[in-house]
Amino acid sequence: MQLHTIETGNFKLDGGAMFGVVPKQLWQRTNPADELNLCDWSMRCMLIEDGNRLILIDAGIGDKQSEKFFSHYHLHGDATLEKSLKEKGFSFDDITDVLLTHLHFDHCGGAVKWANQERTHTEPVFKNATYWNNEKHWKWATEPNPREKASFLSENILPLEESGQLKFIERQGNITKEAFSGVDVFFADGHTESQIIPMIKYKGKTIVFMADLLPSTGHIPLPYVMGYDTRPLLTMNEKEWFLNKAADEEFILFLEHDSVNECCTVKHTEKGIRLKDTFKLSEVL
């Protein structure tokens, strides 16, 4: 098995929304905001190369929404999903599996593209891949609540089912063992229903793709919970359990949205779980 970091570009989101009830004077120490109160965030994905399988975890925001839509998120950076895959020696057609942690537009938008120049319908980007989600989250995303409706875009989601390429990972309690060879899945319900958190067994280590359970190192303290989360108190419970386990078992946490830190470890302190080290994934492979 080989693991690759796949950068897809950066975007900006309101700092208050990203840190919920935590005052700005506290969160800006780790995530400084610009004059519009916007903080910089990555949309970092992971590629697992395992035998004949190439498994992509999440797919970034894509490029098919309107100029008005993208103007809200200030996309920047030179990286794209296609360019990053090419740098690793792969093309879209090489991908065999796409594991979508959840179906918010910044995680799944890059999995679907316009199928024609007229932009009248869309199709999956990875024509040879199976797309993986889970039944509970799929229902949640396709019958969205008012709070998340703007994040679940039908043009990002429905083509996956219409193409016949969609399959579901069965949820077995909070953890499904061996969802893929060498990959367990932790299901987190605080941010959104049945978010998938892949736990990858690699050379005696556990590397965890944290998605929106832990967007950045700045979110490690328990009260630092996003305003976007549908069940913030549940997020706190899930974070507490998972980060204690991460400290006990020395997990490597791969950060999808931290624009500065690619990976981190955590440790126990008198104040609770805190940051231990930060590093690039390539430094531990």
Side-chain angles (χ1 to χ4, degrees):
M1 179 187 286
Q2 288 185 278
L3 306 179
H4 306 278
T5 297
I6 303 295
E7 299 285 355
T8 71
N10 287 28
F11 69 149
K12 292 188 176 185
L13 293 172
D14 183 84
M18 286 297 287
F19 288 96
V21 299
V22 178
K24 181 178 180 180
Q25 63 182 0
L26 296 181
W27 59 252
Q28 70 177 353
R29 297 172 186 172
T30 56
N31 297 79
D34 64 16
E35 66 279 3
L36 297 176
N37 208 49
L38 300 174
C39 299
D40 191 25
W41 307 98
S42 74
M43 290 177 283
R44 184 178 295 118
C45 305
M46 182 188 288
L47 184 68
I48 303 173
E49 187 179 358
D50 190 15
N52 294 324
R53 300 184 82 170
L54 276 176
I55 305 167
L56 179 67
I57 305 177
D58 278 355
I61 200 170
D63 60 3
K64 66 183 174 300
Q65 265 65 52
S66 68
E67 184 176 339
K68 180 179 179 181
F69 176 89
F70 285 127
S71 71
H72 298 306
Y73 301 105
H74 307 273
L75 303 189
H76 60 285
D78 296 327
T80 68
L81 178 57
E82 185 174 21
K83 185 188 297 184
S84 295
L85 286 172
K86 188 175 181 179
E87 288 173 354
K88 303 298 182 183
F90 304 112
S91 71
F92 287 160
D93 292 351
D94 295 324
I95 304 300
T96 62
D97 301 88
V98 180
L99 176 56
L100 297 172
T101 61
H102 59 299
L103 297 169
H104 288 166
F105 62 81
D106 54 315
H107 296 258
C108 73
V112 174
K113 65 179 180 179
W114 288 112
N116 57 359
Q117 290 185 341
E118 294 76 23
R119 296 191 168 198
T120 56
H121 64 281
T122 56
E123 65 184 6
V125 167
F126 307 99
K127 65 181 184 181
N128 297 319
T130 299
Y131 287 81
W132 296 91
N133 195 243
N134 71 86
E135 196 166 5
K136 284 188 175 182
H137 184 67
W138 184 264
K139 181 176 174 60
W140 185 270
T142 54
E143 301 174 14
N145 60 75
R147 185 180 178 88
E148 288 181 281
K149 189 174 183 179
S151 293
F152 291 130
L153 307 180
S154 59
E155 62 268 31
N156 285 339
I157 299 171
L158 298 183
L160 305 181
E161 183 177 44
E162 292 165 356
S163 70
Q165 294 172 246
L166 177 68
K167 289 188 178 181
F168 293 136
I169 295 171
E170 184 181 352
R171 179 168 179 171
Q172 301 167 354
N174 287 333
I175 295 181
T176 294
K177 294 287 188 179
E178 295 287 317
F180 292 89
S181 177
V183 181
D184 296 340
V185 163
F186 172 67
F187 289 94
D189 299 310
H191 178 60
T192 188
E193 175 69 25
S194 295
Q195 178 184 196
I196 291 171
I197 306 297
M199 303 169 63
I200 303 142
K201 302 166 190 173
Y202 181 83
K203 295 184 178 179
K205 305 180 180 73
T206 298
I207 300 175
V208 186
F209 189 95
M210 293 303 296
D212 282 346
L213 179 59
L214 187 74
S216 73
T217 58
H219 289 86
I220 291 173
L222 287 183
Y224 288 56
V225 171
M226 290 190 290
Y228 299 112
D229 287 15
T230 60
R231 306 175 181 116
L233 296 180
L234 181 54
T235 294
M236 289 177 62
N237 290 337
E238 291 170 339
K239 275 177 59 180
E240 183 175 26
W241 180 84
F242 200 92
L243 291 181
N244 273 289
K245 185 176 179 67
D248 291 342
E249 301 183 27
E250 300 182 334
F251 289 174
I252 294 167
L253 308 181
F254 183 92
L255 303 170
E256 185 165 12
H257 286 313
D258 194 313
S259 63
V260 176
N261 304 299
E262 194 171 298
C263 297
C264 74
T265 52
V266 293
K267 62 183 178 181
H268 296 285
T269 75
E270 292 181 356
K271 294 183 178 181
I273 298 294
R274 291 293 184 268
L275 179 66
K276 183 178 180 181
D277 294 310
T278 61
F279 43 86
K280 291 185 176 295
L281 181 62
S282 60
E283 295 175 32
V284 297
L285 299 181

